């Protein structure tokens, strides 16, 4: 049985500030989940903290590319070192973000080892890049594009390993039915399923079918990336972009447990939940419950 190892990755470098002079509160995510006794509830081992550089956009202006790019590149390598160590040791890293740019650390780590797939469970595709937008800047909304090699080389080609994950090895769940980036994903043959399609097919059934495409020997395994904004704002308002028509907890639970319990799944990360927007802690409690259920021994 693999050891679960909880690693804190409290980086908010990839998000725009919520108000002038402030910083995104998602860096408190790991602390809030630890307050819910997540490590103990998972029966996990302690993996420590990977401390991020300071959030400082300096004189960045629209059109300058990705802000905090140098800091994100530095942090991606640092987080990749930690993740790589545990994956090579046969552990199962559970990485608590942070914004979605932390996923680059996991993808770089796995790219160093071999060829791995990526399952994205997210309310948006995070596929903004210079080829489809003139508002490139926040890596937290661009990490899938960056991870598949689209965007500036100081983020897409670290250690000469571009792309960190191939298009054909990506699976996307939970984007809204009205997602503007879906057409491009489909054109690129990046498998994707909207909330409506998940409901039509059934979350567990669809996840199981997709899982079979990830358990073929062409890859050595896969990583699961969960953005809390995949959930509907009625149950998860504590995110920076609470778009309507998201998944409900039972639907997300079915996806998660089917995927992370696979022997081919090598790690997991959680992102975007912002404790500043959750004064009573109810959203943290929901996420902790979902993760405990997903990782419960079958």
């Amino acid at each position: 049985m693999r050891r679960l190892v909880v690693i804190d990755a409290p980086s908010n470098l990839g998000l725009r500030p919520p108000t002038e002079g402030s910083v995104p509160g998602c860096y408190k995510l790991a602390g809030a989940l630890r307050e819910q006794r997540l490590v103990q509830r998972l029966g996990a081992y302690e993996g420590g903290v990977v401390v991020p550089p300071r959030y400082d956009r300096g004189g960045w202006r629209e059109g300058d590319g990705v802000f905090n790019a140098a800091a994100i590149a530095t942090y991606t390598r640092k987080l990749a070192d930690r993740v790589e160590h545990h994956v090579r040791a046969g552990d199962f890293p559970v990485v608590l973000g942070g914004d979605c740019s932390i996923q680059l650390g996991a993808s770089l780590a796995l790219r160093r080892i071999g060829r791995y797939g990526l399952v994205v469970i997210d309310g948006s595709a995070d596929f903004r890049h210079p080829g489809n937008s003139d508002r490139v800047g926040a890596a937290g909304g661009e990490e899938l594009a960056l991870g598949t090699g689209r965007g500036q080389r100081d983020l897409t080609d670290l250690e000469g390993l571009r792309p960190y994950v191939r298009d054909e090895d990506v699976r996307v769940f939970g984007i809204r039915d009205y997602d503007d980036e879906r057409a491009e994903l489909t054109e690129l043959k990046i498998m994707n399923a909207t909330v409506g399609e998940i409901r039509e097919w059934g979350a567990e059934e669809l996840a199981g079918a997709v899982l079979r495409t990830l358990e073929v020997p062409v890859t050595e395994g896969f990583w699961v990336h969960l953005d809390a904004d995949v959930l509907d704002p009625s149950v998860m308002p504590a995110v920076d972009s609470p778009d309507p028509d998201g998944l409900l907890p039972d639907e997300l639970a079915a996806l998660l447990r089917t995927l992370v319990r696979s022997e081919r799944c090598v790690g997991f990360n959680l992102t975007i939940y912002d404790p500043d927007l959750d004064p009573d802690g109810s959203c943290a409690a929901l996420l902790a419950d979902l993760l405990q259920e997903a990782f419960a021994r079958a």
Side-chain angles (χ1 to χ4, degrees):
M1 189 70 70
R2 291 175 296 176
R3 304 191 314 168
L4 299 182
V5 179
V6 174
I7 301 168
D8 293 5
S11 173
N12 58 5
L13 295 168
L15 290 186
R16 298 175 188 272
T19 59
E20 190 63 34
S22 67
V23 298
C26 63
Y27 73 93
K28 302 176 184 178
L29 181 157
L33 270 289
R34 285 175 178 273
E35 281 191 341
Q36 297 292 325
R37 301 186 70 256
L38 180 66
V39 178
Q40 294 87 345
R41 291 166 66 179
L42 295 182
Y45 288 79
E46 180 58 68
V49 183
V50 182
V51 179
R54 180 182 180 183
Y55 184 99
D56 183 2
R57 301 200 305 166
W60 181 88
R61 297 289 182 271
E62 293 286 351
D64 289 347
V66 175
F67 56 75
N68 290 326
I72 292 170
T74 297
Y75 192 67
T76 295
R77 293 188 188 94
K78 190 176 178 182
L79 180 56
D81 290 344
R82 188 76 61 90
V83 171
E84 179 185 6
H85 167 78
H86 286 290
V87 172
R88 287 190 184 277
D91 299 332
F92 188 105
V94 176
V95 182
L96 304 177
D99 71 72
C100 291
S101 67
I102 69 158
Q103 202 283 312
L104 294 172
S107 289
L108 176 62
L110 297 179
R111 178 67 177 85
R112 290 171 177 173
I113 299 170
R115 178 177 172 182
Y116 286 81
L118 174 64
V119 177
V120 176
I121 307 175
D122 198 328
S124 59
D126 290 350
F127 205 67
R128 186 173 59 241
H129 58 84
N132 64 21
S133 176
D134 59 1
R135 292 201 73 242
V136 167
E142 299 157 13
E143 86 285 343
L144 182 56
L146 293 166
T148 54
R150 297 167 174 88
Q152 57 198 65
R153 294 190 72 88
D154 57 349
L155 291 173
T156 62
D157 197 25
L158 295 172
E159 302 172 12
L161 293 177
R162 175 181 184 176
Y164 313 133
V165 61
R166 304 185 191 190
D167 291 352
E168 61 266 33
D169 297 336
V170 177
R171 311 287 186 269
V172 179
F173 288 96
I175 56 176
R176 305 310 196 244
D177 293 277
Y178 48 82
D179 192 291
D180 291 337
E181 296 169 355
R182 189 186 188 197
E184 184 176 7
L185 295 179
T186 302
E187 183 179 349
L188 293 167
K189 296 183 171 55
I190 295 177
M191 177 271 158
N192 60 90
T194 67
V195 172
E197 289 167 338
I198 292 169
R199 288 183 178 145
E200 178 182 355
W201 289 93
E204 190 167 358
E205 291 77 8
L206 183 57
V210 172
L211 182 60
R212 288 190 286 275
T213 73
L214 290 163
E215 291 180 328
V216 294
V218 67
T219 61
E220 298 176 57
F222 65 92
W223 183 274
V224 174
H225 163 75
L226 172 61
D227 181 332
D229 74 12
V230 76
L231 287 164
D232 192 80
S234 64
V235 295
M236 182 54 59
V239 296
D240 66 314
S241 298
D243 294 326
D245 306 320
L247 292 177
L248 296 176
D250 286 351
E251 295 166 328
L252 177 55
L255 286 177
L256 279 179
R257 65 173 173 261
T258 302
L259 294 165
V260 303
R261 293 183 188 181
S262 167
E263 287 300 314
R264 299 273 291 174
C265 185
V266 298
F268 166 88
N269 67 256
L270 171 65
T271 61
I272 291 299
Y273 160 68
D274 185 342
D276 286 347
L277 305 175
D278 184 28
D280 65 359
S282 59
C283 294
L286 171 60
L287 290 170
D289 288 347
L290 284 167
L291 295 189
Q292 181 179 11
E293 195 277 338
F295 287 104
R297 305 300 184 191

